Amino acid sequence: SQTIHQWPATLVQPVGSPLSLECTVEGTSNPNLYWYRQAAGRGLQLLFYSVGIGQISSEVPQNLSASRPQDRQFILSSKKLLLSDSGFYLCAWNFGRGPANEKLFFGSGTQLSVL
Amino acid sequence: GNSVTQMEGPVTLSEEAFLTINCTYTATGYPSLFWYVQYPGEGLQLLLKATKADDKGSNKGFEATYRKETTSFHLEKGSVQVSDSAVYFCAWAGGTGRRALTFGSGTRLQVQP
Protein backbone atom coordinates (compact mmCIF):
# COMPACT_ATOMS: atom_id res chain seq x y z
CA SER A 1 0.00 0.00 0.00
CA GLN A 2 1.04 3.57 -0.54
CA THR A 3 1.99 5.97 2.24
CA ILE A 4 3.05 9.58 2.35
CA HIS A 5 5.37 11.03 4.95
CA GLN A 6 5.76 14.71 5.66
CA TRP A 7 7.99 16.32 8.26
CA PRO A 8 8.40 18.08 10.53
CA ALA A 9 4.90 18.27 11.99
CA THR A 10 5.50 21.71 13.52
CA LEU A 11 8.18 24.31 12.94
CA VAL A 12 8.86 27.72 14.44
CA GLN A 13 11.34 29.82 12.49
CA PRO A 14 12.50 33.45 12.72
CA VAL A 15 11.96 35.86 9.86
CA GLY A 16 14.81 35.69 7.37
CA SER A 17 15.80 32.12 8.19
CA PRO A 18 15.84 29.33 5.58
CA LEU A 19 13.21 26.62 5.24
CA SER A 20 13.23 23.03 4.10
CA LEU A 21 10.15 20.80 4.31
CA GLU A 22 10.37 17.28 3.02
CA CYS A 23 7.78 14.90 1.69
CA THR A 24 8.24 11.33 0.56
CA VAL A 25 5.86 8.80 -0.92
CA GLU A 26 6.24 5.05 -0.60
CA GLY A 27 4.64 2.18 -2.45
CA THR A 28 4.18 3.76 -5.87
CA SER A 29 6.28 5.08 -8.71
CA ASN A 30 6.09 8.22 -10.84
CA PRO A 31 3.44 9.92 -8.72
CA ASN A 32 2.25 13.47 -9.26
CA LEU A 33 3.35 15.49 -6.24
CA TYR A 34 1.88 18.70 -4.85
CA TRP A 35 2.52 21.33 -2.21
CA TYR A 36 -0.49 23.22 -0.85
CA ARG A 37 -0.64 25.93 1.80
CA GLN A 38 -3.56 26.58 4.12
CA ALA A 39 -3.26 30.00 5.72
CA ALA A 40 -5.24 30.83 8.85
CA GLY A 41 -8.84 31.65 7.93
CA ARG A 42 -8.23 30.92 4.28
CA GLY A 43 -8.60 27.96 1.96
CA LEU A 44 -6.08 25.72 0.30
CA GLN A 45 -3.72 27.34 -2.13
CA LEU A 46 -1.75 25.27 -4.62
CA LEU A 47 1.90 26.28 -4.49
CA PHE A 48 3.73 23.76 -6.68
CA TYR A 49 3.11 20.52 -8.50
CA SER A 50 5.38 18.06 -10.21
CA VAL A 51 4.70 15.33 -12.76
CA GLY A 52 8.25 13.96 -12.77
CA ILE A 53 11.82 14.28 -11.49
CA GLY A 54 13.08 17.80 -11.98
CA GLN A 55 9.72 19.00 -13.36
CA ILE A 56 8.22 21.72 -11.19
CA SER A 57 5.25 23.95 -11.99
CA SER A 58 4.76 27.03 -9.86
CA GLU A 59 1.28 28.35 -9.30
CA VAL A 60 1.94 31.46 -7.25
CA PRO A 61 4.97 33.78 -7.43
CA GLN A 62 6.59 33.95 -4.01
CA ASN A 63 9.82 33.46 -2.15
CA LEU A 64 9.28 29.71 -1.95
CA SER A 65 10.70 27.08 -4.27
CA ALA A 66 10.25 23.36 -4.76
CA SER A 67 12.49 20.59 -5.95
CA ARG A 68 12.07 16.94 -6.83
CA PRO A 69 15.49 15.31 -6.64
CA GLN A 70 14.08 11.78 -6.65
CA ASP A 71 10.93 10.19 -8.02
CA ARG A 72 9.15 10.04 -4.67
CA GLN A 73 10.70 13.00 -2.88
CA PHE A 74 9.35 16.54 -2.94
CA ILE A 75 11.02 19.39 -1.06
CA LEU A 76 9.68 22.85 -0.30
CA SER A 77 12.33 25.48 0.41
CA SER A 78 12.92 29.12 1.10
CA LYS A 79 16.13 31.08 1.45
CA LYS A 80 14.58 33.76 3.66
CA LEU A 81 11.22 33.29 5.35
CA LEU A 82 8.66 36.08 5.60
CA LEU A 83 5.97 36.51 8.23
CA SER A 84 3.39 35.86 5.51
CA ASP A 85 4.85 32.37 4.96
CA SER A 86 3.20 31.18 8.17
CA GLY A 87 0.59 28.53 7.56
CA PHE A 88 -0.20 24.87 7.34
CA TYR A 89 1.69 23.18 4.51
CA LEU A 90 0.31 20.03 2.98
CA CYS A 91 2.05 17.64 0.64
CA ALA A 92 -0.11 15.45 -1.58
CA TRP A 93 0.20 12.89 -4.34
CA ASN A 94 -1.89 11.05 -6.90
CA PHE A 95 -1.22 8.45 -9.56
CA GLY A 96 0.82 9.84 -12.40
CA ARG A 97 -0.75 7.76 -15.11
CA GLY A 98 -4.30 8.33 -13.98
CA PRO A 99 -6.70 10.93 -15.30
CA ALA A 100 -6.57 14.43 -13.96
CA ASN A 101 -9.49 13.56 -11.67
CA GLU A 102 -7.59 10.93 -9.74
CA LYS A 103 -8.04 11.43 -6.01
CA LEU A 104 -5.38 13.16 -3.98
CA PHE A 105 -3.74 11.59 -0.95
CA PHE A 106 -2.57 14.10 1.60
CA GLY A 107 0.18 14.05 4.19
CA SER A 108 -0.49 15.06 7.77
CA GLY A 109 0.85 18.57 7.23
CA THR A 110 3.45 20.90 8.70
CA GLN A 111 2.37 23.84 10.85
CA LEU A 112 4.91 26.61 10.15
CA SER A 113 5.03 29.69 12.36
CA VAL A 114 7.33 32.49 11.28
CA LEU A 115 8.05 34.93 14.10
CA GLY B 1 -11.25 32.45 -14.41
CA ASN B 2 -11.84 28.98 -13.10
CA SER B 3 -12.77 28.88 -9.43
CA VAL B 4 -14.76 27.24 -6.67
CA THR B 5 -16.96 29.19 -4.27
CA GLN B 6 -18.33 27.68 -1.07
CA MET B 7 -20.39 29.09 1.71
CA GLU B 8 -18.51 30.67 4.56
CA GLY B 9 -18.50 29.07 7.95
CA PRO B 10 -18.54 28.16 10.60
CA VAL B 11 -21.75 26.21 10.32
CA THR B 12 -23.01 25.18 13.74
CA LEU B 13 -25.64 22.46 14.00
CA SER B 14 -27.12 20.25 16.65
CA GLU B 15 -26.69 16.50 16.39
CA GLU B 16 -29.16 14.86 13.97
CA ALA B 17 -29.81 18.13 12.11
CA PHE B 18 -29.84 18.32 8.31
CA LEU B 19 -26.69 19.67 6.68
CA THR B 20 -26.22 21.58 3.45
CA ILE B 21 -22.93 23.18 2.43
CA ASN B 22 -23.22 25.07 -0.82
CA CYS B 23 -20.59 24.90 -3.54
CA THR B 24 -20.63 26.45 -6.99
CA TYR B 25 -17.94 26.34 -9.60
CA THR B 26 -16.80 28.35 -12.57
CA ALA B 27 -14.96 26.29 -15.15
CA THR B 28 -14.79 25.72 -18.85
CA GLY B 29 -15.68 22.29 -20.13
CA TYR B 30 -16.77 19.50 -17.84
CA PRO B 31 -14.67 19.33 -14.69
CA SER B 32 -14.73 16.55 -12.14
CA LEU B 33 -16.00 17.71 -8.75
CA PHE B 34 -14.94 16.65 -5.28
CA TRP B 35 -15.60 17.10 -1.59
CA TYR B 36 -12.63 16.65 0.74
CA VAL B 37 -12.81 16.62 4.54
CA GLN B 38 -10.18 17.67 7.06
CA TYR B 39 -10.69 16.38 10.60
CA PRO B 40 -8.95 18.28 13.42
CA GLY B 41 -5.19 17.85 13.34
CA GLU B 42 -5.18 15.80 10.15
CA GLY B 43 -4.58 16.23 6.46
CA LEU B 44 -7.35 16.22 3.89
CA GLN B 45 -9.03 13.07 2.66
CA LEU B 46 -11.42 12.50 -0.18
CA LEU B 47 -15.05 12.28 0.94
CA LEU B 48 -16.83 11.85 -2.40
CA LYS B 49 -16.62 12.80 -6.05
CA ALA B 50 -18.61 13.04 -9.28
CA THR B 51 -17.09 13.02 -12.73
CA LYS B 52 -19.99 14.00 -15.00
CA ALA B 53 -23.28 15.87 -14.97
CA ASP B 54 -26.09 14.35 -12.88
CA ASP B 55 -23.68 11.98 -11.14
CA LYS B 56 -24.29 11.63 -7.41
CA GLY B 57 -21.30 11.03 -5.15
CA SER B 58 -21.99 9.51 -1.75
CA ASN B 59 -20.02 8.31 1.26
CA LYS B 60 -20.57 8.03 5.02
CA GLY B 61 -24.11 9.37 4.66
CA PHE B 62 -22.97 12.44 2.73
CA GLU B 63 -24.25 13.11 -0.80
CA ALA B 64 -23.60 15.64 -3.53
CA THR B 65 -25.06 15.83 -7.03
CA TYR B 66 -23.23 17.33 -10.00
CA ARG B 67 -25.67 19.94 -11.36
CA LYS B 68 -24.38 21.31 -14.63
CA GLU B 69 -27.37 23.61 -15.17
CA THR B 70 -26.69 25.43 -11.90
CA THR B 71 -22.90 24.71 -11.82
CA SER B 72 -23.31 23.43 -8.28
CA PHE B 73 -22.17 20.52 -6.16
CA HIS B 74 -23.83 21.07 -2.78
CA LEU B 75 -22.93 18.70 0.05
CA GLU B 76 -25.81 17.26 2.10
CA LYS B 77 -26.30 14.89 4.99
CA GLY B 78 -29.63 14.00 6.51
CA SER B 79 -28.50 13.61 10.13
CA VAL B 80 -25.13 14.91 11.29
CA GLN B 81 -23.12 13.53 14.19
CA VAL B 82 -20.58 15.15 16.49
CA SER B 83 -17.91 13.12 14.69
CA ASP B 84 -18.72 14.99 11.46
CA SER B 85 -17.20 18.16 12.91
CA ALA B 86 -14.46 19.09 10.45
CA VAL B 87 -13.57 21.45 7.63
CA TYR B 88 -15.11 20.57 4.27
CA PHE B 89 -13.51 21.60 0.98
CA CYS B 90 -15.15 21.64 -2.42
CA ALA B 91 -12.76 21.16 -5.35
CA TRP B 92 -12.67 20.62 -9.09
CA ALA B 93 -10.19 19.15 -11.53
CA GLY B 94 -9.81 19.02 -15.25
CA GLY B 95 -7.98 22.15 -16.30
CA THR B 96 -6.17 21.72 -19.60
CA GLY B 97 -2.65 20.41 -19.05
CA ARG B 98 -2.92 20.89 -15.32
CA ARG B 99 -3.13 17.88 -13.11
CA ALA B 100 -3.94 19.73 -9.91
CA LEU B 101 -7.16 20.28 -8.01
CA THR B 102 -8.53 23.74 -7.35
CA PHE B 103 -9.99 24.00 -3.86
CA GLY B 104 -12.57 26.28 -2.35
CA SER B 105 -11.86 28.16 0.85
CA GLY B 106 -13.33 25.48 3.10
CA THR B 107 -16.34 25.47 5.41
CA ARG B 108 -15.95 24.58 9.07
CA LEU B 109 -18.76 22.46 10.49
CA GLN B 110 -19.31 22.27 14.23
CA VAL B 111 -21.84 19.74 15.46
CA GLN B 112 -22.98 20.10 19.04
CA PRO B 113 -24.39 17.22 21.11
Side-chain angles (χ1 to χ4, degrees), chain A residues 26-76:
Chain A
E26 296 178 358
T28 188
S29 59
N30 195 30
N32 298 320
L33 296 170
Y34 307 84
W35 279 109
Y36 283 88
R37 177 171 59 199
Q38 186 178 19
R42 301 177 63 181
L44 278 175
Q45 179 185 39
L46 178 65
L47 301 176
F48 302 96
Y49 69 99
S50 171
V51 299
I53 295 174
Q55 300 178 59
I56 309 295
S57 296
S58 175
E59 288 289 306
V60 182
Q62 58 214 326
N63 69 320
L64 299 171
S65 62
S67 61
R68 186 170 176 174
Q70 300 180 40
D71 181 44
R72 289 168 291 176
Q73 184 184 30
F74 205 26
I75 298 172
L76 182 69

Side-chain angles (χ1 to χ4, degrees), chain B residues 35-112:
Chain B
W35 277 100
Y36 278 77
V37 58
Q38 184 181 28
Y39 296 105
E42 299 182 13
L44 278 73
Q45 55 186 279
L46 179 66
L47 179 61
L48 54 84
K49 72 175 186 179
T51 57
K52 61 183 187 297
D54 300 325
D55 266 3
K56 178 185 284 188
S58 61
N59 185 24
K60 299 180 181 179
F62 290 90
E63 293 183 341
T65 301
Y66 188 152
R67 301 286 189 198
K68 185 174 182 297
E69 64 275 14
T70 55
T71 62
S72 64
F73 193 54
H74 304 324
L75 182 68
E76 298 181 334
K77 185 173 185 180
S79 177
V80 294
Q81 306 299 313
V82 172
S83 58
D84 294 326
S85 298
V87 182
Y88 293 82
F89 292 89
C90 188
W92 73 269
T96 302
R98 183 173 180 275
R99 301 186 65 84
L101 269 66
T102 298
F103 286 87
S105 57
T107 303
R108 181 176 298 279
L109 170 65
Q110 298 172 335
V111 181
Q112 299 174 337

